[in-house]
Amino acid sequence: MNEILLSNEVIVYLLSETVLYLLLFIAFLVTLGLLRKWDFNAFTTEQFSWENRSYLVMTIIFFAMLLKILLLPYFVYTIDKLSDLVPGAMCGAGVIKANAYGNPLLALKIIILFLSGLWLSMNSMDVKAKNYPYMRWKSWFFVVIFLFLTAEYALDLLYFTHIETTKPVSCCSVIFGQVGGGNGLPLGLDIPKLLWLFYLLYGLVVMSILAAMPAVSIGAVLLFLVVAYYAVVYFFGTYIYQLPTHQCPFCMLQAHYYYVGYLVWGSLLLGTFFVLDYALMRLLFHRDVLKLKRVSLLFLTVFVLLCTAYVAGYYLKNGVLL
């Protein structure tokens, strides 16, 4: 048997994913019946039966999606632990690129994270109303999410069963390093331009939220997410490692750096999600949720201040920048 599949972390992860997928598959089948038979205005025994089933199945979906969100950091932790088994890997960067399924799987998990959060928000609105006004909306939305979940589960199995422990992989210095002096940034950007974009886009996101411009908020925060990723990998991360040549999004998740990567990436992803959640609630349901505004600004501001603090701290300590 593949040595990877004997890892305790992989066993726990795949077992958890399997149980959750089976629960969601049952919920998917019941949801299809709800979409065909649901009629809240009907006062029949069948409708009352479907209302009872809907409460049960939506509760299952709620807890399953909540656990799926919590499994994302555990997945990252698992691939980081596998770096001890995969030759050449110094962190999760080498492990995630050990085969062709790793990067698509990680990207799909982030997409599902956002979609699941939006479903939970829609479900919260629906259960607070007396007549389930969004039952069909959230049921169709769950059907779409389940298709993504099916693809994710298939990729999970393909990814972990195709990691070889006899074939060396590239380490993060090769994957993210600027070999031969080349520029790893997209569109020919350099570090000064990248930083200008980083802070300008953060300012645009903040202003668009405060000015109640949800469409602008969506575009600005998605651009900020991309720019922030490159800014952390190629600039702010080097101050976490205190080494100008160490450019990696995964090493900061390790104990040597006090697991600060979970706070860095977690605050960025949560901030991005809550901006999207607020904007879509405003655009689709005409709800101006003040709490979502505050939470989104809180997480994004924590992310920006944390990144900036590492640079400022290094400069105050050493009197120079990297």
Side-chain angles (χ1 to χ4, degrees), residues 18 22 66 104 107 113 121 147 150 163 171 181 201 215-216 253 287 291 316:
T18 300
L22 290 176
L66 198 59
L113 170 73
S121 185
L147 298 179
T150 301
I163 298 177
C171 66
L201 284 172
V216 176
L253 301 166
R287 292 173 177 259
K291 183 179 179 180
L316 291 175

Side-chain angles (χ1 to χ4, degrees), residues 113-180:
L113 170 73
F114 289 160
L115 294 179
S116 298
L118 292 173
W119 188 93
L120 291 173
S121 185
M122 186 184 299
N123 182 64
S124 176
M125 289 194 306
D126 192 52
V127 296
K128 290 177 181 177
K130 294 182 178 180
N131 58 344
Y132 301 105
Y134 307 116
M135 176 61 73
R136 288 194 174 276
W137 277 65
K138 70 180 184 182
S139 296
W140 278 115
F141 192 23
F142 171 67
V143 170
V144 173
I145 294 175
F146 184 77
L147 298 179
F148 283 94
L149 291 170
T150 301
E152 180 208 18
Y153 185 64
L155 283 175
D156 270 328
L157 298 178
L158 289 170
Y159 171 66
F160 285 108
T161 56
H162 286 79
I163 298 177
E164 298 183 23
T165 56
T166 57
K167 182 180 177 181
V169 299
S170 299
C171 66
C172 56
S173 61
V174 174
I175 297 171
F176 297 99
Q178 298 175 18
V179 180

Side-chain angles (χ1 to χ4, degrees), residues 239 242 307-320:
Y239 287 88
Q242 298 190 18
C307 291
T308 306
Y310 271 97
V311 180
Y314 184 88
Y315 181 78
L316 291 175
K317 182 179 179 180
N318 299 282
V320 294

Side-chain angles (χ1 to χ4, degrees), residues 2-296:
N2 190 332
E3 186 180 357
I4 296 296
L5 298 179
L6 297 177
S7 167
N8 290 335
E9 290 80 12
V10 173
I11 291 172
V12 171
Y13 172 78
L14 288 180
L15 182 60
S16 301
E17 286 285 0
T18 300
V19 171
L20 289 178
Y21 183 77
L22 290 176
L23 286 173
L24 290 168
F25 179 70
I26 295 171
F28 170 73
L29 295 179
V30 177
T31 301
L32 293 179
L34 279 171
L35 287 169
R36 289 187 292 109
K37 302 292 183 65
W38 180 266
D39 182 7
F40 187 77
N41 295 319
F43 295 93
T44 62
T45 303
E46 184 182 24
Q47 173 59 22
F48 289 136
S49 175
W50 280 113
E51 287 180 19
N52 290 331
R53 291 183 195 178
S54 71
Y55 180 80
L56 175 61
V57 76
M58 294 305 161
T59 302
I60 292 174
I61 296 172
F62 172 82
F63 283 107
M65 286 192 172
L66 198 59
L67 291 173
K68 287 286 294 180
I69 292 172
L70 296 177
L71 270 177
L72 178 58
Y74 186 76
F75 169 77
V76 175
Y77 170 78
T78 298
I79 62 173
D80 189 65
K81 292 291 289 184
L82 291 180
S83 62
D84 296 332
L85 299 176
V86 180
M90 302 298 292
C91 64
V95 180
I96 201 69
K97 289 183 175 292
N99 56 52
Y101 305 109
N103 279 336
L105 176 59
L106 182 58
L108 187 57
K109 285 184 176 295
I110 293 174
I111 293 172
I112 290 173
L113 170 73
F114 289 160
L115 294 179
S116 298
L118 292 173
W119 188 93
L120 291 173
S121 185
M122 186 184 299
N123 182 64
S124 176
M125 289 194 306
D126 192 52
V127 296
K128 290 177 181 177
K130 294 182 178 180
N131 58 344
Y132 301 105
Y134 307 116
M135 176 61 73
R136 288 194 174 276
W137 277 65
K138 70 180 184 182
S139 296
W140 278 115
F141 192 23
F142 171 67
V143 170
V144 173
I145 294 175
F146 184 77
L147 298 179
F148 283 94
L149 291 170
T150 301
E152 180 208 18
Y153 185 64
L155 283 175
D156 270 328
L157 298 178
L158 289 170
Y159 171 66
F160 285 108
T161 56
H162 286 79
I163 298 177
E164 298 183 23
T165 56
T166 57
K167 182 180 177 181
V169 299
S170 299
C171 66
C172 56
S173 61
V174 174
I175 297 171
F176 297 99
Q178 298 175 18
V179 180
N183 187 356
L185 299 175
L187 304 175
L189 288 173
D190 54 24
I191 294 299
K193 292 176 183 175
L194 180 68
L195 293 178
W196 272 107
L197 276 176
F198 178 82
Y199 287 107
L200 285 174
L201 284 172
Y202 167 70
L204 178 59
V205 172
V206 171
M207 288 188 292
S208 65
I209 292 174
L210 296 178
M213 302 169 65
V216 176
S217 297
I218 292 173
V221 80
L222 291 177
L223 281 174
F224 178 74
L225 177 63
V226 176
V227 170
Y229 165 77
Y230 285 103
V232 171
V233 173
Y234 290 99
F235 180 74
F236 295 113
T238 62
Y239 287 88
I240 294 175
Y241 306 130
Q242 298 190 18
L243 189 64
T245 57
H246 194 170
Q247 299 165 335
C248 178
F250 285 94
C251 286
M252 63 183 70
L253 301 166
Q254 297 178 342
H256 185 66
Y257 301 102
Y258 306 103
Y259 304 105
V260 71
Y262 289 100
L263 179 58
V264 171
W265 297 117
S267 58
L268 174 61
L269 290 176
L270 286 172
T272 301
F273 163 71
F274 283 113
V275 172
L276 294 174
D277 194 14
Y278 148 72
L280 290 174
M281 290 301 107
R282 182 71 183 269
L283 287 173
L284 297 178
F285 304 104
H286 308 291
R287 292 173 177 259
D288 191 12
V289 186
L290 183 60
K291 183 179 179 180
L292 289 177
K293 283 185 176 182
R294 292 173 175 172
V295 173
S296 63

